[in-house]
Structures are given as structure tokens and as C-alpha cells.
Amino acid sequence: MTSPKIDANQLELFAQELVATLKPSPVPAAKPAPPVPLFKAPPAPTRTLPIPPVGPNDPPLRRIQLGSHTVHYVLRRSARRSHGFMVCDEGLFVTSPNRAPLDDIERAIRAKQRWILTKLFERGERRAQRAERAPVEWVDGAQLPYLGNDITLRLEPAARSHCVYDADTRTLHLGVTPGLETWQIRERVKLWFQDEAKRLFGERLDLYAPRVGVTYHSFAISSAGTRWGSCTVAGNIRLNWKLVHYPLALLDYVVVHELAHLREMNHSPAFWAVVGEVFPDYDGAKAALKKRSVEMPVLFPDE
């Protein structure tokens, strides 16, 4: 039996196919890896809006959608003829006429939404920064802010509690009776600060009232979150006692600001012109007060 005759061309084609099956398939070229950044940016901070606290006997909070943000607010009714807005560390407070329908109130809020959101974010960031700062330790040698500089707290054993400030040595001497607790030391120092604030406010109001060209009726200290002062048409002025921690020039700015309201009960250009007559650098004072309020150490966490 004879084998079939294989053509030379067929043999060459067979060899080519065999080599092709044994040759590894080409590996596709790897894509170049993206460059590794030298520095990794920190994650963007989460922006939060403060939500006003509600007591057991308070009406429930209202809320409104402003863009992509849900804003909670306290609605108060009064005999006023227009809507008023106040943003503080605790959140948004809206005061509206007694008979104003909710639709009108929400339209008024939306008309001011850019200002409201800006202020709420500022307050939220300020609270977050404040929460990161360690509170002052009420021990002998503690440094306390007074009129823009530090004073030293000296705790001294005493039969009776006393609190005396030595301006020459910038030292606050506190007599500590047996069994006096830390919270009592803190409250005693707070009372001293409040007394100093009341004394200084009286002096500065009497100094600047003639310069502004007004006469105020009375004044009192307040403990508002970050509202530095207020003034009524009747000439009753309230000033935040915590201003005693700041430089005297910033305290003076707030005093002049409130006195100027006795000539212009608004924040119009005419009002700022009155402030500028006595305190030309009011823009600088506003910026400094805002900056220092963020940097201020935590003395009284409950305030």
C-alpha cells in the first residue's frame, strides 16, 4: 500500500499553521499608570447648618428648603409690620407679623436666602471651631483674656472668698475657701468679668454719647450667643458682657454702633455714616471682632 503523495506547497502551508499555533499570542501593551500626586488634598469639610434647640414647651421648629439645603427655624409672632431675621450660633429665628400667612413668611425667607445661608454656614463653622478648642483649666496660673491681653489667675487659700485685680501685675487674685469647687471658681471669675464689663460700658457710653450727638436712657449687660449689642427706640441699650475679653477699641466700636442707632434705627448707608463720624475704621473693627471671636479660648462652655 502506498502513502498518498503530499504536495510541497501543502507541506509548507501545514508548517506555517503549526508554527502559528505554537507562537504565543501578543500581549496588549499595558496602559500607562496615572501619575501619583505628590500631595493629597485633605477632604473638603462637611458644612453643617445649626438647628435651633427646642424646649418641651416650645412650639415645634419649622423648616424650609433653600436650594439643596434644609433650614430649620424658629417662628415668632409679634405686632411688628415686617419680617425680621436673626441668625446666631443656635440657628435662624424669624419674627413675623401676627396675621402674616405662612406663604408670605416663606417668600420673605427665600428672598433673603443667600444672606441666611451665608450666615448659617459661618455660625456652623464657628461652632465647630469652638468645639475643637480645649476649655480653660481653672487652676492657679491660668491665663484669662481681659481687654485684649492675658491676665494671670492666682488661687489663694482664704477664710472668705474675694476677687481682687492688680492692674500693675495684671493678676486676678481669687480667695479660695475650704471646699470651693471648680465650678464655683469659674462662676466667681465670671461675676468679676461681668462687673468689669458693666463698669466699662458705663464709662464708654458716657464718653461717646455726646460725640454721636445722642442721649441714651439706660443700659444693661446681656449674655447673648454672639450678638454684641442691641438698642431700642426708647434708648435702652444692651451690650454683651463678653466684650470685656476683647481690646478696648472693639468694645468702643460696639458702643458707638449701638448709640448710632438712636439716630438711625437701621443699617442703611446713613447709619454707617453716623458710625463713621466717630469710628472711621468700623469695617476693620467688624473684621477684627469676627476673627477674634473664633480665636477666643473657651472660658465658660455653657455660654
Side-chain angles (χ1 to χ4, degrees):
M1 183 175 180
T2 59
S3 299
K5 185 177 181 181
I6 299 176
D7 184 87
N9 291 332
Q10 290 179 328
L11 182 62
E12 182 179 355
L13 180 61
F14 173 77
Q16 289 176 355
E17 290 176 352
L18 179 62
V19 170
T21 59
L22 296 177
K23 186 178 180 180
S25 302
V27 179
K31 295 182 179 180
V36 179
L38 295 177
F39 301 99
K40 186 178 180 181
T46 302
R47 305 185 77 187
T48 58
L49 297 174
I51 299 177
V54 177
N57 299 320
D58 294 334
L61 289 176
R62 304 203 69 86
R63 63 181 180 180
I64 185 172
Q65 195 70 25
L66 300 181
S68 60
H69 305 287
T70 301
V71 175
H72 296 79
Y73 66 95
V74 172
L75 176 60
R76 296 167 175 165
R77 299 286 189 166
S78 77
R80 63 180 295 152
R81 300 175 62 182
S82 61
H83 303 285
F85 306 95
M86 183 182 75
V87 176
C88 63
D89 281 0
E90 293 182 332
L92 172 62
F93 294 79
V94 180
T95 305
S96 294
N98 288 321
R99 297 185 179 181
L102 186 59
D103 288 348
D104 286 350
I105 296 171
E106 292 189 347
R107 275 194 292 271
I109 294 174
R110 288 194 171 90
K112 295 274 292 184
Q113 72 175 42
R114 182 175 180 180
W115 178 86
I116 289 171
L117 288 174
T118 298
K119 293 299 180 183
L120 285 173
F121 281 128
E122 287 178 357
R123 299 298 187 181
E125 290 169 5
R126 188 177 303 179
R127 290 187 68 174
Q129 290 172 339
R130 181 179 175 85
E132 292 174 357
R133 300 197 303 267
V136 169
E137 294 187 16
W138 294 93
V139 296
D140 184 65
Q143 299 296 296
L144 309 176
Y146 175 63
L147 293 181
N149 292 296
D150 285 342
I151 61 176
T152 302
L153 177 65
R154 288 299 177 198
L155 303 181
E156 303 164 347
R160 296 183 59 185
S161 178
H162 63 266
C163 198
V164 179
Y165 177 60
D166 186 335
D168 293 332
T169 61
R170 300 192 59 80
T171 303
L172 183 63
H173 299 271
L174 178 62
V176 179
T177 57
L180 199 67
E181 297 185 18
T182 299
W183 71 267
Q184 293 172 306
I185 294 173
R186 184 177 65 239
E187 290 302 307
R188 183 65 185 86
V189 173
K190 182 195 288 187
L191 288 175
W192 179 81
F193 274 127
Q194 291 175 338
D195 288 342
E196 283 294 290
K198 189 179 297 185
R199 176 182 66 81
L200 285 165
F201 291 155
E203 292 176 358
R204 309 315 281 183
L205 284 165
D206 291 344
L207 173 65
Y208 284 107
R211 299 184 186 183
V212 179
V214 297
T215 302
Y216 67 92
H217 180 262
S218 66
F219 82 92
I221 63 172
S222 78
S223 300
T226 52
R227 190 174 185 181
W228 298 118
S230 63
C231 179
T232 68
V233 176
N236 300 315
I237 292 175
R238 291 174 64 83
L239 296 166
N240 195 315
W241 68 264
K242 290 187 283 293
L243 284 165
V244 76
H245 300 312
Y246 299 85
L248 187 61
L250 300 185
L251 188 154
D252 285 349
Y253 158 68
V254 177
V255 167
V256 172
H257 182 115
E258 299 310 325
L259 288 170
H261 278 308
L262 295 176
R263 286 175 55 184
E264 294 286 341
M265 192 58 70
N266 50 56
H267 286 104
S268 65
F271 164 80
W272 290 111
V274 173
V275 176
E277 292 173 6
V278 182
F279 204 104
D281 189 24
Y282 57 81
D283 280 333
K286 283 195 295 183
L289 195 56
K290 180 179 178 180
K291 180 176 183 293
R292 284 180 174 262
S293 65
V294 174
E295 299 170 347
M296 185 63 60
V298 181
L299 276 78
F300 309 103
D302 297 333
E303 288 290 338

